[in-house]
Structures are given as C-alpha cells and as structure tokens.
Short mmCIF file of all heavy atoms in Angstrom, two decimals:
data_model
loop_
_atom_site.label_atom_id
_atom_site.label_comp_id
_atom_site.label_asym_id
_atom_site.label_seq_id
_atom_site.Cartn_x
_atom_site.Cartn_y
_atom_site.Cartn_z
N MET E 919 0.84 -1.20 0.00
CA MET E 919 0.00 0.00 0.00
C MET E 919 0.88 1.25 0.00
O MET E 919 1.90 1.29 0.68
CB MET E 919 -0.86 0.03 1.26
CG MET E 919 -2.15 -0.77 1.18
SD MET E 919 -3.21 -0.28 -0.15
CE MET E 919 -3.85 1.25 0.43
N PRO E 920 0.45 2.28 -0.74
CA PRO E 920 1.21 3.53 -0.70
C PRO E 920 1.00 4.23 0.64
O PRO E 920 -0.05 4.09 1.27
CB PRO E 920 0.61 4.35 -1.83
CG PRO E 920 -0.73 3.77 -2.08
CD PRO E 920 -0.65 2.32 -1.69
N LYS E 921 2.02 4.96 1.03
CA LYS E 921 1.94 5.70 2.29
C LYS E 921 1.33 7.07 2.02
O LYS E 921 1.45 7.61 0.92
CB LYS E 921 3.33 5.86 2.89
CG LYS E 921 3.93 4.55 3.33
CD LYS E 921 5.32 4.79 3.86
CE LYS E 921 5.98 3.47 4.16
NZ LYS E 921 7.40 3.61 4.39
N LEU E 922 0.71 7.63 3.04
CA LEU E 922 0.15 8.98 2.95
C LEU E 922 1.15 9.97 3.53
O LEU E 922 1.81 9.68 4.51
CB LEU E 922 -1.16 9.06 3.73
CG LEU E 922 -2.30 8.19 3.22
CD1 LEU E 922 -3.41 8.16 4.24
CD2 LEU E 922 -2.79 8.68 1.89
N LYS E 923 1.22 11.12 2.89
CA LYS E 923 2.13 12.15 3.40
C LYS E 923 1.39 13.02 4.42
O LYS E 923 0.23 13.37 4.23
CB LYS E 923 2.64 13.03 2.26
CG LYS E 923 3.71 12.35 1.45
CD LYS E 923 4.49 13.36 0.65
CE LYS E 923 5.66 12.68 -0.01
NZ LYS E 923 6.49 13.64 -0.76
N THR E 924 2.11 13.37 5.47
CA THR E 924 1.59 14.29 6.49
C THR E 924 1.76 15.71 6.00
O THR E 924 2.81 16.06 5.44
CB THR E 924 2.38 14.10 7.80
OG1 THR E 924 2.17 12.77 8.26
CG2 THR E 924 1.92 15.07 8.86
N HIS E 925 0.76 16.53 6.19
CA HIS E 925 0.85 17.96 5.87
C HIS E 925 1.72 18.61 6.93
O HIS E 925 1.32 18.74 8.09
CB HIS E 925 -0.56 18.56 5.86
CG HIS E 925 -0.61 19.96 5.33
ND1 HIS E 925 -0.10 21.03 6.01
CD2 HIS E 925 -1.11 20.45 4.17
CE1 HIS E 925 -0.28 22.13 5.30
NE2 HIS E 925 -0.90 21.79 4.17
N ARG E 926 2.93 19.00 6.54
CA ARG E 926 3.91 19.46 7.52
C ARG E 926 3.51 20.76 8.21
O ARG E 926 3.82 20.97 9.39
CB ARG E 926 5.30 19.62 6.87
CG ARG E 926 5.87 18.32 6.32
CD ARG E 926 5.79 17.16 7.31
NE ARG E 926 6.60 17.39 8.49
CZ ARG E 926 6.49 16.73 9.62
NH1 ARG E 926 5.58 15.77 9.74
NH2 ARG E 926 7.25 16.99 10.64
N GLY E 927 2.81 21.63 7.51
CA GLY E 927 2.35 22.87 8.14
C GLY E 927 1.34 22.59 9.23
O GLY E 927 1.37 23.19 10.31
N ALA E 928 0.43 21.64 8.98
CA ALA E 928 -0.57 21.27 9.97
C ALA E 928 0.07 20.54 11.15
O ALA E 928 -0.34 20.71 12.29
CB ALA E 928 -1.65 20.39 9.33
N ALA E 929 1.09 19.73 10.87
CA ALA E 929 1.76 18.97 11.93
C ALA E 929 2.41 19.88 12.95
O ALA E 929 2.51 19.54 14.13
CB ALA E 929 2.80 18.04 11.32
N LYS E 930 2.85 21.05 12.50
CA LYS E 930 3.50 22.00 13.41
C LYS E 930 2.48 22.79 14.23
O LYS E 930 2.82 23.35 15.26
CB LYS E 930 4.36 22.96 12.60
CG LYS E 930 5.56 22.29 11.97
CD LYS E 930 6.20 23.18 10.93
CE LYS E 930 7.24 22.37 10.16
NZ LYS E 930 7.79 23.13 9.03
N ARG E 931 1.23 22.83 13.76
CA ARG E 931 0.23 23.69 14.41
C ARG E 931 -0.79 22.95 15.27
O ARG E 931 -1.40 23.56 16.15
CB ARG E 931 -0.53 24.47 13.34
CG ARG E 931 0.30 25.55 12.69
CD ARG E 931 -0.45 26.17 11.52
NE ARG E 931 0.24 27.33 11.00
CZ ARG E 931 1.24 27.27 10.13
NH1 ARG E 931 1.66 26.11 9.69
NH2 ARG E 931 1.81 28.36 9.71
N PHE E 932 -0.96 21.66 15.01
CA PHE E 932 -1.99 20.91 15.72
C PHE E 932 -1.42 19.67 16.38
O PHE E 932 -0.45 19.10 15.90
CB PHE E 932 -3.10 20.48 14.74
CG PHE E 932 -3.76 21.62 14.05
CD1 PHE E 932 -3.35 22.00 12.78
CD2 PHE E 932 -4.79 22.32 14.65
CE1 PHE E 932 -3.95 23.06 12.12
CE2 PHE E 932 -5.40 23.38 14.00
CZ PHE E 932 -4.97 23.75 12.74
N LYS E 933 -2.04 19.26 17.48
CA LYS E 933 -1.69 17.98 18.10
C LYS E 933 -2.97 17.27 18.50
O LYS E 933 -4.02 17.89 18.62
CB LYS E 933 -0.75 18.17 19.28
CG LYS E 933 -1.33 18.90 20.46
CD LYS E 933 -0.30 19.03 21.56
CE LYS E 933 -0.90 19.75 22.76
NZ LYS E 933 0.07 19.90 23.84
N LYS E 934 -2.86 15.98 18.70
CA LYS E 934 -4.02 15.18 19.03
C LYS E 934 -4.06 14.93 20.53
O LYS E 934 -3.04 14.63 21.14
CB LYS E 934 -3.96 13.86 18.27
CG LYS E 934 -5.30 13.33 17.86
CD LYS E 934 -5.15 12.14 16.96
CE LYS E 934 -6.39 11.92 16.14
NZ LYS E 934 -6.27 10.77 15.27
N SER E 935 -5.24 15.04 21.12
CA SER E 935 -5.39 14.79 22.55
C SER E 935 -5.47 13.29 22.80
O SER E 935 -5.56 12.49 21.86
CB SER E 935 -6.66 15.48 23.07
OG SER E 935 -7.79 14.82 22.56
N ALA E 936 -5.49 12.90 24.05
CA ALA E 936 -5.57 11.48 24.41
C ALA E 936 -6.88 10.86 23.95
O ALA E 936 -6.94 9.67 23.64
CB ALA E 936 -5.41 11.33 25.92
N ARG E 937 -7.93 11.65 23.87
CA ARG E 937 -9.24 11.15 23.42
C ARG E 937 -9.43 11.25 21.92
O ARG E 937 -10.52 10.98 21.41
CB ARG E 937 -10.36 11.90 24.14
CG ARG E 937 -10.42 11.57 25.62
CD ARG E 937 -11.58 12.30 26.28
NE ARG E 937 -11.67 11.93 27.68
CZ ARG E 937 -12.51 11.03 28.14
NH1 ARG E 937 -13.33 10.39 27.33
NH2 ARG E 937 -12.55 10.76 29.42
N GLY E 938 -8.39 11.71 21.21
CA GLY E 938 -8.46 11.73 19.75
C GLY E 938 -8.95 13.02 19.13
O GLY E 938 -9.14 13.09 17.92
N LYS E 939 -9.14 14.06 19.93
CA LYS E 939 -9.55 15.35 19.38
C LYS E 939 -8.31 16.16 19.03
O LYS E 939 -7.27 16.01 19.66
CB LYS E 939 -10.41 16.10 20.40
CG LYS E 939 -11.74 15.43 20.65
CD LYS E 939 -12.59 16.22 21.59
CE LYS E 939 -13.92 15.53 21.79
NZ LYS E 939 -14.82 16.30 22.64
N PHE E 940 -8.45 17.06 18.06
CA PHE E 940 -7.33 17.90 17.66
C PHE E 940 -7.31 19.18 18.49
O PHE E 940 -8.36 19.81 18.71
CB PHE E 940 -7.42 18.24 16.18
CG PHE E 940 -7.08 17.08 15.29
CD1 PHE E 940 -8.07 16.34 14.68
CD2 PHE E 940 -5.76 16.71 15.11
CE1 PHE E 940 -7.75 15.27 13.87
CE2 PHE E 940 -5.43 15.63 14.30
CZ PHE E 940 -6.42 14.90 13.69
N LEU E 941 -6.13 19.57 18.93
CA LEU E 941 -5.96 20.77 19.74
C LEU E 941 -5.21 21.82 18.94
O LEU E 941 -4.33 21.47 18.14
CB LEU E 941 -5.18 20.45 21.01
CG LEU E 941 -5.79 19.43 21.95
CD1 LEU E 941 -4.82 19.11 23.07
CD2 LEU E 941 -7.10 19.92 22.52
N ARG E 942 -5.55 23.06 19.17
CA ARG E 942 -4.85 24.17 18.53
C ARG E 942 -4.56 25.23 19.58
O ARG E 942 -5.19 25.27 20.64
CB ARG E 942 -5.71 24.77 17.42
CG ARG E 942 -6.99 25.40 17.93
CD ARG E 942 -7.70 26.20 16.86
NE ARG E 942 -8.95 26.75 17.35
CZ ARG E 942 -9.08 27.89 18.02
NH1 ARG E 942 -8.02 28.62 18.31
NH2 ARG E 942 -10.26 28.31 18.41
N SER E 943 -3.61 26.10 19.27
CA SER E 943 -3.33 27.21 20.18
C SER E 943 -4.29 28.35 19.86
O SER E 943 -4.85 28.42 18.77
CB SER E 943 -1.88 27.66 20.04
OG SER E 943 -1.64 28.11 18.73
N LYS E 944 -4.47 29.24 20.80
CA LYS E 944 -5.37 30.37 20.62
C LYS E 944 -4.74 31.41 19.70
O LYS E 944 -3.52 31.54 19.64
CB LYS E 944 -5.69 31.00 21.97
CG LYS E 944 -6.23 30.02 23.01
CD LYS E 944 -7.72 30.01 23.06
CE LYS E 944 -8.23 29.16 24.19
NZ LYS E 944 -8.23 29.82 25.47
N ALA E 945 -5.58 32.17 19.03
CA ALA E 945 -5.12 33.19 18.09
C ALA E 945 -4.87 34.52 18.80
O ALA E 945 -5.29 34.71 19.94
CB ALA E 945 -6.16 33.38 16.99
N PHE E 946 -4.18 35.42 18.13
CA PHE E 946 -3.95 36.81 18.55
C PHE E 946 -3.05 36.96 19.76
O PHE E 946 -3.17 37.93 20.51
CB PHE E 946 -5.29 37.53 18.82
CG PHE E 946 -6.25 37.44 17.68
CD1 PHE E 946 -7.40 36.67 17.79
CD2 PHE E 946 -6.00 38.09 16.49
CE1 PHE E 946 -8.30 36.57 16.74
CE2 PHE E 946 -6.89 38.01 15.43
CZ PHE E 946 -8.04 37.25 15.55
N LYS E 947 -2.12 36.05 19.99
CA LYS E 947 -1.26 36.19 21.17
C LYS E 947 0.22 36.25 20.81
O LYS E 947 1.07 36.04 21.66
CB LYS E 947 -1.52 35.06 22.16
CG LYS E 947 -1.16 33.69 21.65
CD LYS E 947 -1.20 32.68 22.77
CE LYS E 947 -0.78 31.32 22.25
NZ LYS E 947 -0.86 30.27 23.22
N GLN E 948 0.54 36.50 19.55
CA GLN E 948 1.94 36.45 19.12
C GLN E 948 2.65 37.81 19.22
O GLN E 948 3.81 37.86 19.58
CB GLN E 948 2.03 35.94 17.67
CG GLN E 948 1.59 34.50 17.52
CD GLN E 948 2.43 33.52 18.31
OE1 GLN E 948 3.64 33.65 18.38
NE2 GLN E 948 1.79 32.55 18.93
N HIS E 949 1.97 38.87 18.86
CA HIS E 949 2.64 40.18 18.88
C HIS E 949 1.61 41.27 19.13
O HIS E 949 0.41 41.00 19.20
CB HIS E 949 3.40 40.42 17.57
CG HIS E 949 2.53 40.48 16.36
ND1 HIS E 949 2.54 41.51 15.49
CD2 HIS E 949 1.60 39.61 15.88
CE1 HIS E 949 1.66 41.29 14.51
NE2 HIS E 949 1.08 40.14 14.74
N ILE E 950 2.10 42.50 19.30
CA ILE E 950 1.30 43.66 19.68
C ILE E 950 0.53 43.37 20.97
O ILE E 950 -0.67 43.64 21.09
CB ILE E 950 0.34 44.11 18.55
CG1 ILE E 950 1.04 44.07 17.19
CG2 ILE E 950 -0.16 45.53 18.79
CD1 ILE E 950 0.14 44.42 16.01
N LEU E 951 1.22 42.82 21.93
CA LEU E 951 0.57 42.44 23.18
C LEU E 951 0.44 43.61 24.16
O LEU E 951 -0.31 43.51 25.13
CB LEU E 951 1.34 41.29 23.84
CG LEU E 951 1.36 39.99 23.02
CD1 LEU E 951 2.28 38.99 23.66
CD2 LEU E 951 -0.03 39.41 22.87
N THR E 952 1.16 44.70 23.89
CA THR E 952 1.10 45.85 24.81
C THR E 952 -0.27 46.53 24.77
O THR E 952 -0.69 47.14 25.76
CB THR E 952 2.17 46.88 24.45
OG1 THR E 952 2.06 47.20 23.07
CG2 THR E 952 3.55 46.34 24.74
N THR E 953 -0.97 46.41 23.64
CA THR E 953 -2.28 47.07 23.54
C THR E 953 -3.41 46.19 24.06
O THR E 953 -4.53 46.68 24.21
CB THR E 953 -2.59 47.43 22.06
OG1 THR E 953 -2.56 46.23 21.29
CG2 THR E 953 -1.60 48.42 21.52
N LYS E 954 -3.13 44.94 24.32
CA LYS E 954 -4.17 44.02 24.80
C LYS E 954 -4.19 44.00 26.33
O LYS E 954 -3.16 44.11 26.97
CB LYS E 954 -3.93 42.61 24.25
CG LYS E 954 -4.15 42.56 22.76
CD LYS E 954 -3.66 41.32 22.12
CE LYS E 954 -3.84 41.45 20.62
NZ LYS E 954 -2.76 40.83 19.88
N THR E 955 -5.37 43.83 26.88
CA THR E 955 -5.52 43.85 28.33
C THR E 955 -5.00 42.55 28.93
O THR E 955 -4.86 41.54 28.24
CB THR E 955 -6.99 44.03 28.72
OG1 THR E 955 -7.73 42.91 28.25
CG2 THR E 955 -7.58 45.30 28.14
N ARG E 956 -4.74 42.59 30.22
CA ARG E 956 -4.27 41.41 30.94
C ARG E 956 -5.30 40.29 30.85
O ARG E 956 -4.95 39.12 30.69
CB ARG E 956 -4.04 41.80 32.40
CG ARG E 956 -3.32 40.75 33.21
CD ARG E 956 -3.09 41.25 34.61
NE ARG E 956 -2.29 42.45 34.64
CZ ARG E 956 -2.24 43.32 35.65
NH1 ARG E 956 -2.98 43.12 36.73
NH2 ARG E 956 -1.49 44.38 35.61
N LYS E 957 -6.56 40.66 30.91
CA LYS E 957 -7.65 39.67 30.82
C LYS E 957 -7.67 38.98 29.45
O LYS E 957 -7.86 37.77 29.37
CB LYS E 957 -8.98 40.37 31.07
CG LYS E 957 -10.17 39.45 31.10
CD LYS E 957 -11.44 40.24 31.38
CE LYS E 957 -12.65 39.35 31.38
NZ LYS E 957 -13.88 40.10 31.64
N GLN E 958 -7.47 39.76 28.40
CA GLN E 958 -7.43 39.19 27.05
C GLN E 958 -6.28 38.20 26.92
O GLN E 958 -6.46 37.08 26.42
CB GLN E 958 -7.22 40.29 26.01
CG GLN E 958 -8.45 41.02 25.58
CD GLN E 958 -8.11 42.08 24.55
OE1 GLN E 958 -7.35 43.02 24.85
NE2 GLN E 958 -8.63 41.95 23.37
N LYS E 959 -5.10 38.61 27.38
CA LYS E 959 -3.91 37.76 27.26
C LYS E 959 -4.04 36.49 28.09
O LYS E 959 -3.62 35.42 27.67
CB LYS E 959 -2.66 38.54 27.66
CG LYS E 959 -2.32 39.63 26.65
CD LYS E 959 -1.04 40.33 26.99
CE LYS E 959 -1.25 41.45 27.95
NZ LYS E 959 -0.10 42.35 28.08
N ARG E 960 -4.67 36.60 29.24
CA ARG E 960 -4.89 35.43 30.09
C ARG E 960 -5.84 34.44 29.40
O ARG E 960 -5.67 33.23 29.48
CB ARG E 960 -5.46 35.88 31.43
CG ARG E 960 -5.38 34.86 32.53
CD ARG E 960 -5.63 35.48 33.89
NE ARG E 960 -6.90 36.22 33.95
CZ ARG E 960 -7.02 37.52 34.21
NH1 ARG E 960 -5.96 38.27 34.43
NH2 ARG E 960 -8.20 38.11 34.26
N GLY E 961 -6.83 34.97 28.71
CA GLY E 961 -7.78 34.13 28.00
C GLY E 961 -7.18 33.43 26.79
O GLY E 961 -7.74 32.45 26.31
N MET E 962 -6.08 33.94 26.29
CA MET E 962 -5.43 33.35 25.12
C MET E 962 -4.41 32.27 25.47
O MET E 962 -3.80 31.70 24.57
CB MET E 962 -4.74 34.45 24.32
CG MET E 962 -5.67 35.38 23.61
SD MET E 962 -4.76 36.55 22.65
CE MET E 962 -5.06 38.07 23.49
N ARG E 963 -4.22 32.00 26.75
CA ARG E 963 -3.26 30.98 27.16
C ARG E 963 -3.75 29.59 26.81
O ARG E 963 -4.96 29.36 26.71
CB ARG E 963 -3.04 31.04 28.68
CG ARG E 963 -2.08 32.09 29.11
CD ARG E 963 -1.82 31.93 30.60
NE ARG E 963 -1.45 33.20 31.18
CZ ARG E 963 -1.68 33.57 32.43
NH1 ARG E 963 -2.31 32.75 33.25
NH2 ARG E 963 -1.30 34.74 32.87
N GLY E 964 -2.82 28.67 26.70
CA GLY E 964 -3.16 27.27 26.56
C GLY E 964 -3.70 26.90 25.19
O GLY E 964 -3.50 27.61 24.21
N THR E 965 -4.37 25.77 25.13
CA THR E 965 -4.90 25.26 23.87
C THR E 965 -6.42 25.10 23.97
O THR E 965 -6.98 25.12 25.06
CB THR E 965 -4.29 23.89 23.53
OG1 THR E 965 -4.53 22.99 24.62
CG2 THR E 965 -2.80 23.99 23.29
N THR E 966 -7.03 24.92 22.81
CA THR E 966 -8.47 24.70 22.74
C THR E 966 -8.74 23.64 21.67
O THR E 966 -7.88 23.36 20.84
CB THR E 966 -9.22 26.01 22.42
OG1 THR E 966 -10.61 25.78 22.51
CG2 THR E 966 -8.87 26.55 21.06
N VAL E 967 -9.91 23.06 21.70
CA VAL E 967 -10.28 22.01 20.75
C VAL E 967 -10.67 22.64 19.42
O VAL E 967 -11.34 23.67 19.38
CB VAL E 967 -11.43 21.16 21.32
CG1 VAL E 967 -11.84 20.08 20.33
CG2 VAL E 967 -11.02 20.53 22.63
N VAL E 968 -10.26 22.02 18.34
CA VAL E 968 -10.60 22.48 16.99
C VAL E 968 -12.09 22.28 16.76
O VAL E 968 -12.69 21.34 17.28
CB VAL E 968 -9.76 21.68 15.96
CG1 VAL E 968 -10.26 21.88 14.55
CG2 VAL E 968 -8.30 22.05 16.06
N ALA E 969 -12.69 23.16 15.98
CA ALA E 969 -14.13 23.08 15.68
C ALA E 969 -14.44 21.75 15.00
O ALA E 969 -13.64 21.21 14.24
CB ALA E 969 -14.53 24.24 14.78
N ALA E 970 -15.63 21.26 15.25
CA ALA E 970 -16.04 19.94 14.74
C ALA E 970 -16.04 19.89 13.22
O ALA E 970 -15.75 18.84 12.63
CB ALA E 970 -17.42 19.60 15.27
N VAL E 971 -16.36 21.00 12.54
CA VAL E 971 -16.39 20.99 11.08
C VAL E 971 -15.00 20.89 10.47
O VAL E 971 -14.85 20.43 9.34
CB VAL E 971 -17.11 22.24 10.52
CG1 VAL E 971 -18.58 22.21 10.83
CG2 VAL E 971 -16.47 23.51 11.02
N ASP E 972 -13.97 21.31 11.21
CA ASP E 972 -12.60 21.27 10.70
C ASP E 972 -11.88 19.97 11.04
O ASP E 972 -10.84 19.67 10.45
CB ASP E 972 -11.79 22.44 11.27
CG ASP E 972 -12.35 23.78 10.81
OD1 ASP E 972 -12.82 23.85 9.66
OD2 ASP E 972 -12.31 24.72 11.60
N ALA E 973 -12.40 19.19 11.95
CA ALA E 973 -11.72 17.98 12.41
C ALA E 973 -11.53 16.93 11.30
O ALA E 973 -10.44 16.37 11.19
CB ALA E 973 -12.46 17.38 13.60
N PRO E 974 -12.52 16.65 10.44
CA PRO E 974 -12.29 15.67 9.38
C PRO E 974 -11.20 16.09 8.40
O PRO E 974 -10.42 15.26 7.92
CB PRO E 974 -13.64 15.57 8.68
CG PRO E 974 -14.63 16.07 9.65
CD PRO E 974 -13.92 17.06 10.50
N LYS E 975 -11.12 17.38 8.13
CA LYS E 975 -10.09 17.89 7.23
C LYS E 975 -8.70 17.68 7.85
O LYS E 975 -7.75 17.28 7.17
CB LYS E 975 -10.33 19.38 6.98
CG LYS E 975 -9.53 19.96 5.82
CD LYS E 975 -9.75 21.44 5.67
CE LYS E 975 -11.17 21.76 5.25
NZ LYS E 975 -11.38 23.20 4.99
N LEU E 976 -8.60 17.93 9.15
CA LEU E 976 -7.33 17.72 9.85
C LEU E 976 -6.96 16.25 9.92
O LEU E 976 -5.79 15.89 9.85
CB LEU E 976 -7.41 18.30 11.26
CG LEU E 976 -7.12 19.78 11.37
CD1 LEU E 976 -7.38 20.24 12.78
CD2 LEU E 976 -5.71 20.10 10.97
N ALA E 977 -7.96 15.40 10.05
CA ALA E 977 -7.69 13.96 10.11
C ALA E 977 -7.06 13.47 8.81
O ALA E 977 -6.22 12.58 8.81
CB ALA E 977 -8.98 13.22 10.39
N ARG E 978 -7.46 14.07 7.68
CA ARG E 978 -6.85 13.72 6.40
C ARG E 978 -5.44 14.29 6.28
O ARG E 978 -4.55 13.68 5.69
CB ARG E 978 -7.70 14.23 5.24
CG ARG E 978 -8.96 13.44 5.03
CD ARG E 978 -9.63 13.75 3.71
NE ARG E 978 -10.00 15.14 3.56
CZ ARG E 978 -11.16 15.67 3.96
NH1 ARG E 978 -12.05 14.90 4.58
NH2 ARG E 978 -11.43 16.93 3.76
N MET E 979 -5.23 15.49 6.82
CA MET E 979 -3.91 16.12 6.76
C MET E 979 -2.89 15.42 7.65
O MET E 979 -1.70 15.42 7.36
CB MET E 979 -4.01 17.58 7.19
CG MET E 979 -4.64 18.51 6.23
SD MET E 979 -4.65 20.13 6.98
CE MET E 979 -5.07 21.14 5.60
N LEU E 980 -3.36 14.87 8.78
CA LEU E 980 -2.48 14.25 9.76
C LEU E 980 -2.86 12.78 9.96
O LEU E 980 -3.42 12.41 10.99
CB LEU E 980 -2.59 15.01 11.09
CG LEU E 980 -2.34 16.52 11.02
CD1 LEU E 980 -2.76 17.18 12.30
CD2 LEU E 980 -0.88 16.79 10.72
N PRO E 981 -2.55 11.93 8.98
CA PRO E 981 -3.02 10.54 9.06
C PRO E 981 -2.36 9.71 10.16
O PRO E 981 -2.95 8.74 10.62
CB PRO E 981 -2.69 9.99 7.68
CG PRO E 981 -1.60 10.84 7.16
CD PRO E 981 -1.82 12.19 7.75
N TYR E 982 -1.16 10.06 10.59
CA TYR E 982 -0.43 9.22 11.54
C TYR E 982 -0.31 9.86 12.93
O TYR E 982 0.43 9.38 13.76
CB TYR E 982 0.95 8.89 11.00
CG TYR E 982 0.86 8.24 9.64
CD1 TYR E 982 1.26 8.92 8.50
CD2 TYR E 982 0.31 6.97 9.51
CE1 TYR E 982 1.16 8.33 7.25
CE2 TYR E 982 0.19 6.38 8.27
CZ TYR E 982 0.62 7.05 7.15
OH TYR E 982 0.49 6.47 5.92
N LYS E 983 -1.00 10.96 13.16
CA LYS E 983 -0.89 11.63 14.46
C LYS E 983 -1.81 11.00 15.47
O LYS E 983 -2.82 10.45 15.17
CB LYS E 983 -1.19 13.11 14.33
CG LYS E 983 -0.26 13.89 15.22
CD LYS E 983 -0.12 15.30 14.82
CE LYS E 983 1.12 15.80 15.51
NZ LYS E 983 1.30 17.12 15.69
#
C-alpha cells in the first residue's frame, strides 16, 4: 500500500489529545501584546479544541498523528 504524506504545516500547528480530538493554540497572542488587556492575554493561554467541522479535514492532513 502507498503511504500517505503528512501535511507538515498542519503537523506543526496541531496535536491530538488522548481522546483523539485535535488541539490548537489560541489566536492573537503572538505580537502587539502591549495594547491588549491582561484579561485578554490570560484568555489566550493554553490550547483549545478544533471546531467539529474542521476535524475531518485535519484527520486527512495528519493521518499518523
């Protein structure tokens, strides 16, 4: 059987949880942080689960994750 290639851009941005859901980091926390409030920055910490509509697309991009 031919092997499937992993989408390398997606592999760097997403990881799979123990229950098989895809996790992503929160947006808007990379730069220009001086204008954002402490509350906003605190809310952007950590990871969150990818939306259900995007999960099948990610499953195809990351076949071995």
Side-chain angles (χ1 to χ4, degrees):
M919 276 302 286
K921 293 178 186 167
L922 296 169
K923 283 198 173 183
T924 298
H925 189 289
R926 297 312 296 164
K930 292 167 190 173
R931 289 173 172 83
F932 301 96
K933 66 181 181 180
K934 214 172 201 180
S935 70
R937 291 182 178 261
K939 293 183 179 183
F940 286 102
L941 300 173
R942 64 170 177 85
S943 61
K944 306 265 186 82
F946 307 110
K947 64 169 183 183
Q948 294 299 319
H949 63 126
I950 317 176
L951 296 173
T952 52
T953 58
K954 291 167 185 144
T955 63
R956 190 178 300 160
K957 184 179 178 180
Q958 277 180 298
K959 291 184 275 193
R960 196 166 54 241
M962 290 183 248
R963 278 187 207 151
T965 56
T966 187
V967 179
V968 168
V971 292
D972 297 324
K975 194 183 293 185
L976 276 174
R978 287 193 300 273
M979 287 179 167
L980 305 168
Y982 305 110
K983 218 158 197 201

